[in-house]
Amino acid sequence: MKRAVSNLVGAVIEAWQEVRIHKTRVMLSLIGVAVAVCAITTVVGLGAVAQQATVESSERSGGRAASLFLSASMNDGSTPPGMPEIWRTALERYQIDYASRVMNTSQTVQFADGAVPVQTLGIDPPYGTMHRITLEEGTWFTEADTARLAPALLVNSIFYDRLGRPDLRTHPTTTLIGERTTTAVVTGVYPSLSWETEPAMYMLADALTAITPVVSDPNLQQFGPPSYELWVPVDVSEQLVTALQRDVQGALGADAFVQVNRQDFAAFQDGDPYLSLKLTVGAIAGLVLLLGALGLVNIALVTLKQRIREIGIRRSFGATAGRVFFAVMMESVVATVVAGIIGVIGAVLIVKSPFVEDFISQGQVTDFPPFPVEAAILGLVCATVVGALAGLIPALVAVRVKVIDAIRY
């Protein structure tokens, strides 16, 4: 074992010395290998960032994996009686920590330039974590906000601009116009999506219910029965869908319509959405690697002709064919591994640069993934394989050299 390690280290050192001697000849070929390795590694690394951007964008709209959606209504469209208690019982029974009611409606808000209807979402505090919502200013809802006499509002940046962007530390207020005119406090601002052009806001579900008049005719309600969202472990999501459907339907009876399903992105996405791009760029990088390998083969064969006498002398002093084969091949392998390391370092600098991260994420990524180790390993493996293939032909030629002919060369 010790002898094998010693032979390996000796061969690597010898190969590195030969690379240094012929560095001018191999430099151009190694540049091609380094660029190709950098390209392959960069594609894999950028793919991880782009995939994270896609995941986070999807989670903002559909929730994290696995998000379950529960809707329940009576056959006439009204809210089922006793549903709040049934909801709390289900959360306690299945020990679900992240859950929220969702009420989609509209509230008329008084701005300086007039009163306009504003899309309003009534939610519970866990909704922000479930949908990866980040704020530009202020703080997300807390349990303390449920005790406010003036309801708290989280508004989008369009809403905030129409208010004149007041300092949140001054507790700016706005007026909600309706049958019950209400003064509300703006406590946070979240960024508007690129396609949004109108103001929007979040309210706590209990606050929204409190300021909404109760009417007996379900057709006159400002919003229908709330829907319910739950963030649960993926491995038990299917069982929970069945259990919740059974429990809620059984509690409400046959006169109610209950539906439970999973609607997060992971339930519909199959495979890597960036696979075609990765394969295309990977094929181009593979072609560059092939051209670099051909250049190395040519240079190695030319160099080998100048070393025929050296190889003959080494064989006459007892160097085996295997040792000569290994030494010649290692020259290419060591050279391409060094080029691969340089290429991987370049890929890391590219992928982790702030400019590239901002360009890829488009402001949609909050949890940037670390540079994937598999990308670096892939780059080094590609460089090693190219070196081995490039050194194979010269090594076979070196082994076939006859000792007496080599000494006379």
Side-chain angles (χ1 to χ4, degrees):
M1 181 64 180
K2 184 182 294 185
R3 182 177 180 180
V5 173
S6 177
N7 290 337
L8 176 62
V9 173
V12 171
I13 294 175
E14 180 183 347
W16 176 245
Q17 290 174 345
E18 291 295 333
V19 170
R20 292 180 60 189
I21 293 172
H22 303 284
K23 59 184 178 182
T24 303
R25 297 180 177 179
V26 301
M27 186 64 70
L28 293 178
S29 296
L30 292 184
I31 289 176
V33 173
V35 170
V37 170
C38 182
I40 292 176
T41 309
T42 300
V43 167
V44 178
L46 290 180
V49 177
Q51 187 170 6
Q52 182 69 11
T54 301
V55 168
E56 292 194 14
S57 178
S58 300
E59 288 178 347
R60 287 186 178 92
S61 58
R64 301 184 188 232
S67 288
L68 306 185
F69 288 71
L70 185 155
S71 60
S73 62
M74 304 306 292
N75 291 333
D76 60 1
S78 62
T79 302
M83 189 60 198
E85 182 61 31
I86 295 172
W87 170 246
R88 287 191 293 269
T89 300
L91 297 183
E92 293 175 0
R93 176 179 300 165
Y94 299 109
Q95 300 179 350
I96 299 172
D97 297 324
Y98 291 95
S100 174
R101 295 166 290 176
V102 179
M103 304 173 181
N104 199 341
T105 183
S106 176
Q107 293 288 314
T108 302
V109 179
Q110 180 67 56
F111 293 102
D113 56 351
V116 298
V118 174
Q119 180 183 358
T120 305
L121 212 61
I123 56 175
D124 292 317
Y127 186 91
T129 302
M130 296 164 61
H131 286 263
R132 282 188 179 271
I133 298 176
T134 57
L135 300 181
E136 291 180 350
E137 297 185 45
T139 57
W140 184 255
F141 293 124
T142 65
E143 295 298 334
D145 290 322
T146 59
R148 286 178 177 268
L149 297 178
L153 300 180
L154 297 177
V155 302
N156 67 358
S157 55
I158 299 174
F159 190 117
Y160 193 44
D161 289 338
R162 295 193 65 167
L163 283 183
R165 305 190 70 85
D167 188 347
L168 295 185
R169 292 174 296 182
T170 63
H171 308 290
T173 61
T174 188
T175 302
L176 308 182
I177 302 174
E179 186 173 331
R180 300 177 183 176
T181 300
T182 305
T183 299
V185 180
V186 177
T187 60
V189 182
Y190 61 93
S192 301
L193 299 176
S194 58
W195 60 84
E196 287 185 319
T197 59
E198 300 296 330
M201 64 183 183
Y202 291 110
M203 291 183 65
L204 287 175
D206 289 335
L208 181 60
T209 303
I211 66 173
T212 303
V214 178
V215 294
S216 57
D217 187 352
N219 296 320
L220 299 179
Q221 290 181 354
Q222 291 192 19
F223 53 85
S227 59
Y228 302 86
E229 294 187 19
L230 310 92
W231 179 25
V232 301
V234 176
D235 54 349
V236 298
S237 59
E238 293 185 5
Q239 296 92 318
L240 281 175
V241 167
T242 304
L244 288 170
Q245 178 81 37
R246 180 195 62 231
D247 293 353
V248 177
Q249 187 71 66
L252 295 178
D255 293 333
F257 174 75
V258 179
Q259 185 176 17
V260 183
N261 53 40
R262 180 180 170 187
Q263 296 184 5
D264 59 275
F265 76 99
F268 306 100
Q269 179 174 305
D270 184 19
D272 186 355
Y274 297 97
L275 181 60
S276 60
L277 175 62
K278 291 179 181 178
L279 291 177
T280 301
V281 179
I284 296 173
L287 179 61
V288 176
L289 275 173
L290 178 61
L291 294 176
L294 292 176
L296 283 175
V297 170
N298 291 331
I299 292 173
L301 288 174
V302 172
T303 303
L304 184 64
K305 289 184 178 180
Q306 299 178 354
R307 299 176 57 197
I308 292 295
R309 185 178 179 85
E310 172 196 335
I311 293 174
I313 294 174
R314 293 179 61 183
R315 291 293 302 274
S316 67
F317 278 92
T320 63
R323 177 61 185 268
V324 172
F325 179 90
F326 187 70
V328 174
M329 176 176 283
M330 283 301 295
E331 293 175 17
S332 295
V333 172
V334 169
T336 55
V337 167
V338 172
I341 292 174
I342 296 174
V344 169
I345 293 174
V348 173
L349 295 177
I350 292 173
V351 173
K352 300 306 293 181
S353 67
F355 173 78
V356 173
E357 286 187 342
D358 292 341
F359 178 77
I360 294 295
S361 67
Q362 295 294 310
Q364 298 298 310
V365 179
T366 56
D367 297 333
F368 277 99
F371 188 86
V373 177
E374 60 270 19
I377 294 176
L378 175 63
L380 292 177
V381 168
C382 289
T384 303
V385 171
V386 166
L389 294 176
L392 179 61
I393 295 177
L396 290 174
V397 172
V399 170
R400 294 172 64 88
V401 172
K402 296 181 180 180
V403 176
I404 189 64
D405 293 339
I407 294 175
R408 291 176 177 175
Y409 188 83

